[in-house]
Amino acid sequence: MNTAKISKKCLISFAGFAITLLLCFASMHIMQFFKLNYWIGVTVGIAILIFMLITFIILRKNATLSLSIPTILINAAASGIALSSMYEYLGAYPAVWQSCTVFAALVALFGLYCLLTGLTFFQNHYVICEIALVVLAAAAVILGMIFSDLTTFSLAAISLIPFIAILISLTVRSSDVKEHIKNIACCSFAVLALVIFVVLAVITQGDGLDGLGDLGLAGTNGKKKKDILNGYEYLPKN
């Protein structure tokens, strides 16, 4: 393999990741303008996941680029729509500059890895190298979340989902471009499903707290919470 070039397979994975992240962030910020109930985005995401999965399963035997590419694009946009529910619930979207920073950092990291795949060591130990890359990226994000309250790092943590999924697709065996893009399309379902899972984990936890609102234990919409009432102190009359 020529170390001066990125292989065609790497280029396709790199493009797939960049496009996925771009569409995810773009659709998330577009949803920001509508100020919808925080359940809308994730509900739409689930509906798209079900529809696209059924369509893909039915047509998988005759899967062509005309099926795989739209699947990747639609699932990427749906991931952003679902993700908007979490930030709508939290009441604070990432700023555009934060999304751009995360996009640039992860795309650069993915591109650097693709360049390194030309080295013999990376070809012979690709599993170890991928694990090491993921661990380093996750460690950087976790440290950022610990030492900073910037939304940048929470967004970066979510962005590791497509990063890891498409990184895995890079090492899945494929005989040609068509098969490789189909593998990326399959990974896009995993990305969308995991994003939905994370969003639901966040907003359903908040709903549980909201249900205690009458006891004064929580506010609504995951925003400002009321002070917890101390049962050993005098309480105001209802």
Side-chain angles (χ1 to χ4, degrees):
M1 186 175 182
N2 190 342
T3 58
K5 296 181 179 180
I6 300 179
S7 70
K8 182 183 292 186
K9 187 177 182 182
C10 287
L11 281 173
I12 291 172
S13 288
F14 175 77
F17 173 66
I19 291 171
T20 294
L21 205 58
L22 179 63
L23 286 176
C24 178
F25 287 176
S27 60
M28 176 189 70
H29 282 294
I30 289 172
M31 290 294 290
Q32 181 179 0
F33 292 105
F34 295 102
K35 303 294 182 183
L36 301 172
N37 179 280
Y38 60 79
W39 279 106
I40 299 297
V42 71
T43 301
V44 171
I46 292 172
I48 292 175
L49 173 62
I50 294 172
F51 174 78
M52 291 303 299
L53 188 58
I54 293 174
T55 301
F56 196 83
I57 291 173
I58 293 174
L59 301 177
R60 71 184 185 282
K61 292 184 179 179
N62 298 315
T64 61
L65 295 180
S66 61
L67 173 64
S68 297
I69 292 177
T71 297
I72 295 170
L73 301 179
I74 293 171
N75 285 346
S79 296
I81 293 172
L83 186 57
S84 70
S85 281
M86 186 177 79
Y87 289 112
E88 191 67 43
Y89 166 78
L90 295 174
Y93 278 84
V96 173
W97 71 265
Q98 292 176 316
S99 297
C100 290
T101 299
V102 172
F103 177 83
L106 289 181
V107 167
L109 185 61
F110 199 101
L112 175 61
Y113 183 82
C114 287
L115 282 171
L116 293 175
T117 57
L119 301 177
T120 302
F121 178 82
F122 276 72
Q123 295 171 13
N124 294 336
H125 305 89
Y126 61 88
V127 175
I128 295 174
C129 291
E130 283 197 1
I131 292 174
L133 177 65
V134 170
V135 169
L136 288 174
V141 171
I142 292 170
L143 287 174
M145 293 176 71
I146 292 174
F147 294 106
S148 172
D149 59 355
L150 286 176
T151 312
T152 307
F153 294 105
S154 66
L155 182 63
I158 296 290
S159 301
L160 287 179
I161 295 175
F163 183 86
I164 294 171
I166 298 181
L167 191 65
I168 291 173
S169 77
L170 178 60
T171 51
V172 174
R173 290 187 179 182
S174 52
S175 58
D176 53 25
V177 171
K178 175 184 173 182
E179 186 177 2
H180 181 50
I181 294 178
K182 181 181 177 181
N183 290 338
I184 296 176
C186 292
C187 287
S188 73
F189 285 108
V191 171
L192 177 54
L194 286 172
V195 168
I196 289 172
F197 175 80
V198 171
V199 171
L200 286 175
V202 172
I203 66 178
T204 53
Q205 180 183 17
D207 267 359
L209 292 174
D210 289 343
L212 300 176
D214 291 338
L215 297 178
L217 297 180
T220 58
N221 295 334
K223 297 179 183 178
K224 295 181 179 179
K225 308 297 182 185
K226 297 179 182 178
D227 293 334
I228 295 177
L229 299 179
N230 183 354
Y232 293 99
E233 297 287 349
Y234 291 111
L235 302 180
K237 294 181 179 180
N238 293 331

